[in-house]
Amino acid sequence: MAMNKDNVLPPINSLEELQARKDLLNAEIAKDDEQIKALWNSLFHKPAMMTSSSPAKRIASIVNTSAGIIDGAILGWKLYRKFKRK
């Protein structure tokens, strides 16, 4: 489908052209939908780490998670001390 430089589609002269444009747009929408689904799934679903990871990656993940938990606990303690009633 060719667009001119003003991003305006050429006029439709027949029902066949309209059907062809509709089919082309539906195919593009379906392709974009599959890409969006793949990106969405990769964003919110972690791959199964424990089955295929090396021991070093599992240990690094545990250390990283532990550091996050400790950091959250320290932040909570600091906020508690700052805002506790006197």
Side-chain angles (χ1 to χ4, degrees):
M1 196 176 333
M3 291 187 176
N4 61 20
K5 70 179 189 180
D6 295 326
N7 291 331
V8 177
L9 295 171
I12 298 173
N13 295 324
S14 68
L15 289 176
E16 291 80 21
E17 288 179 11
L18 179 63
Q19 185 64 39
R21 187 179 295 176
K22 179 182 171 187
D23 293 341
L24 182 64
L25 288 173
N26 281 335
E28 289 177 10
I29 289 170
K31 183 179 74 169
D32 289 344
D33 185 51
E34 289 301 317
Q35 289 177 341
I36 290 170
K37 284 180 184 177
L39 289 172
W40 184 264
N41 285 332
S42 69
L43 182 64
F44 289 107
H45 297 105
K46 283 186 175 182
M49 184 181 68
M50 295 299 173
T51 58
S52 63
S53 295
S54 67
K57 285 184 180 180
R58 287 194 300 261
I59 291 171
S61 175
I62 291 169
V63 169
N64 189 21
T65 303
S66 302
I69 291 170
I70 291 170
D71 186 41
I74 292 171
L75 175 63
W77 179 249
K78 286 181 178 181
L79 290 173
Y80 170 74
R81 285 189 330 179
K82 182 174 182 177
F83 293 111
K84 72 177 181 179
R85 294 183 186 240
K86 295 181 180 181

